[in-house]
Amino acid sequence: MKPLSKKISNMEASSVRILTKYAVEAEAKGKKIYKLNIGQPDLCIPDEYYEYIHAFHEQTVEYMPSQGIPELLKAVASYYQKSGINIDEKNIYITTGGTEAFMFTLFAIIEPGDEIIIFEPYYSNYNTFFAITGAKPVGVTTYVENGFHVTDRALIEQKITEKTKAIVVTNPGNPTGTVLWEEEIRMIADVAKEHDLYIIADEVYREMVFDNAKITSFGFLEDVHDRLVLIDSVSKRFNACGARIGAAITKNDEILSLISKLCQGRLAVSTIEQHAAVGLYSTGLRVIHQIRDEFKKRRDVVYECLRKIPGVFCAKPEGAFYLICKLPVKNAEEFLIWMLKNFDDNGETVMAAPGEGFYATEGLGKDEIRIAYVLEPDKLKRAIEILGKGLEAYNKEHK
Ligand SMILES: Cc1ncc(COP(=O)(O)O)c(C=O)c1O
């Protein structure tokens, strides 16, 4: 047989799902696993989602316009205007999740060999699209000790070469839970302007910020709108991951026209899910705030429990529903596998994502894990208790 695609063969497996086979084996043996490895929240979807689905009674489920249905474009534009970000319907392309928006944005911007500045640790799923487009991620390392903030402009500028095309920023951050300050956003925007770089801002967790922290968005900075693409989604904002509705948003007409071609090529996004998404946006801030407040509660629980475990260190997350923590082990991935294969406390164990896969720079994150605190507070308490017991047992066994 002729060889298959090298690009795809060389892709690394998702670091989040890396432990799945061990989890399947553990579950087959009857172990209960608290899954903190994946950003799939357990909250209820708003009623409006189903109300809008039930109200859809067309005889034919047709392809819709490739930009998106007018009602949804209007709802998204109105959400932006209410958020203080000056965006019109013509600047929005509805996509199959934020994931497709990110993919199309890279397709539109990247030539093979182009470099992308990205703050690491970062959302590892981007790697799939870096690999497909031939983009090279260049990590600007951020550290747990200062809450993964990006304060030093020189650290960014020293990574910029003539091949650098764009800066990718995820704010609030996955996997860090960091919410960038206004000054940081401004500084990154200034760097992008000075070096003529595009800004790809993934803001799918935009309102998920705790402790009355300010929502920060590149969308507030009108002077970079010409080089900015916002990646958006209903997945996290309305707890609707399976709806697969997102958006690529930009005021750069050239990028819009390339994204438009890509959207036409894939024809359309699901008709019914787009109607359901109009229902989601009709909820205004009610659901957005409920979700934020619930995750704040969970953040408090998980952070307080982790702090009590000897040798564990993490920054207090400021937003989203993730955190990275350092463990008192040399190799966190081996520890997580051991937790699934060899450990249980009353038949229960815990699964998290190894930290290493969230870095572009080799060798970083080996003693770190990412926790997605997507379970109810009581389950989270229990999960972190098991993690603590597991660490103690593991370190006794691996002295
Ligand atoms: C930072 C970030 N961007 C995008 C996505 C994917 O969004 P969607 O479900 O809209 O494709 C996720 C999912 O976890 C994410 O964490």
Side-chain angles (χ1 to χ4, degrees):
M1 299 261 218
K2 297 208 168 157
L4 300 176
S5 159
K6 275 205 191 98
K7 256 191 218 166
I8 311 295
S9 307
N10 292 340
M11 262 181 203
E12 282 181 28
S14 153
S15 65
V16 174
R17 293 188 168 81
I18 230 158
L19 305 182
T20 305
K21 83 170 179 190
Y22 300 101
V24 170
E25 283 166 20
E27 279 172 334
K29 287 183 191 149
K31 257 189 218 180
K32 175 176 172 174
I33 304 171
Y34 291 90
K35 291 183 181 156
L36 306 177
N37 60 315
I38 213 157
Q40 170 66 70
D42 60 341
L43 308 177
C44 291
I45 189 128
D47 290 342
E48 286 83 348
Y49 175 82
Y50 287 115
E51 283 164 17
Y52 275 65
I53 290 179
H54 292 312
F56 182 85
H57 277 300
E58 302 297 322
Q59 285 220 310
T60 315
V61 182
E62 295 179 356
Y63 291 124
M64 288 291 116
S66 52
Q67 188 186 356
I69 62 170
E71 299 91 319
L72 183 54
L73 293 168
K74 199 165 155 208
V76 176
S78 157
Y79 152 82
Y80 268 91
Q81 280 146 20
K82 284 185 194 140
S83 307
I85 300 173
N86 183 14
I87 291 292
D88 285 332
E89 289 156 50
K90 66 173 188 294
N91 306 119
I92 302 167
Y93 272 79
I94 302 299
T95 52
T96 303
T99 304
E100 191 184 56
F102 187 82
M103 176 170 79
F104 284 177
T105 303
L106 284 196
F107 284 171
I109 290 179
I110 293 298
E111 279 293 307
D114 284 347
E115 293 175 2
I116 293 224
I117 299 283
I118 188 157
F119 302 100
E120 59 181 2
Y122 66 88
Y123 176 49
S124 50
N125 203 38
Y126 296 149
N127 287 332
T128 308
F129 308 110
F130 294 152
I132 293 175
T133 54
K136 182 176 169 228
V138 176
V140 173
T141 310
T142 61
Y143 298 92
V144 64
E145 289 78 7
N146 68 348
F148 297 103
H149 278 276
V150 193
T151 44
D152 192 347
R153 179 179 174 138
L155 290 179
I156 306 175
E157 289 192 308
Q158 75 195 19
K159 299 276 173 126
I160 295 174
T161 71
E162 73 279 6
K163 289 194 180 152
T164 311
K165 201 61 156 308
I167 305 186
V168 169
V169 186
T170 312
N171 180 48
N174 172 9
T176 57
T178 301
V179 180
L180 295 180
W181 305 315
E182 263 177 308
E183 311 87 271
E184 287 173 283
I185 296 272
R186 184 66 261 168
M187 181 268 283
I188 295 165
D190 288 341
V191 170
K193 273 170 85 170
E194 198 173 314
H195 297 270
D196 188 20
L197 306 176
Y198 295 105
I199 302 167
I200 305 172
D202 183 340
E203 300 186 356
V204 303
Y205 299 96
R206 186 174 294 125
E207 295 84 4
M208 233 180 265
V209 302
F210 310 137
D211 307 321
N212 300 317
K214 236 184 171 168
I215 293 174
T216 54
S217 167
F218 283 95
F220 295 139
L221 309 181
E222 300 226 350
D223 62 317
V224 289
H225 274 194
D226 57 340
R227 56 181 70 252
L228 171 66
V229 184
L230 290 167
I231 306 300
D232 211 337
S233 172
V234 302
S235 289
K236 318 290 165 162
R237 176 170 306 135
F238 299 112
N239 193 39
C241 293
R244 309 309 305 129
I245 297 291
I249 296 164
T250 181
K251 286 192 155 174
N252 179 308
D253 288 335
E254 283 176 290
I255 297 179
L256 266 185
S257 115
L258 300 197
I259 289 180
S260 154
K261 284 192 208 173
L262 294 163
C263 287
Q264 284 167 14
R266 63 82 164 104
L267 306 183
V269 171
S270 156
T271 303
I272 293 172
E273 294 290 0
Q274 289 192 74
H275 282 283
V278 177
L280 294 173
Y281 275 100
S282 78
T283 61
L285 289 175
R286 186 191 88 223
V287 172
I288 290 174
H289 286 171
Q290 267 170 9
I291 293 174
R292 178 199 62 193
D293 294 346
E294 178 60 28
F295 280 110
K296 187 213 170 273
K297 245 193 273 167
R298 296 175 180 199
R299 186 276 315 258
D300 289 344
V301 167
V302 85
Y303 179 67
E304 284 312 316
C305 294
L306 280 170
R307 263 159 46 103
K308 292 185 188 134
I309 306 177
V312 168
F313 182 70
C314 63
K316 190 171 190 179
E318 300 157 317
F321 43 67
Y322 306 95
L323 63 82
I324 287 272
C325 67
K326 268 192 189 296
L327 300 183
V329 298
K330 278 208 182 72
N331 187 318
E333 187 175 318
E334 281 174 20
F335 165 69
L336 291 172
I337 293 171
W338 179 89
M339 285 292 282
L340 292 168
K341 280 175 73 169
N342 303 350
F343 182 79
D344 73 273
D345 184 49
N346 282 333
E348 298 181 331
T349 192
V350 174
M351 185 174 180
E356 208 177 344
F358 296 100
Y359 288 83
T361 308
E362 235 172 86
L364 294 181
K366 273 196 184 320
D367 60 347
E368 294 174 359
I369 60 170
R370 184 194 73 171
I371 289 177
Y373 41 95
V374 289
L375 305 178
E376 289 159 26
D378 281 350
K379 290 184 185 155
L380 280 175
K381 260 190 208 159
R382 173 68 182 139
I384 305 302
E385 182 194 13
I386 295 169
L387 182 75
K389 288 184 176 179
L391 278 169
E392 201 183 325
Y394 181 82
N395 280 333
K396 260 192 204 141
E397 200 178 298
H398 294 79
K399 257 192 223 152

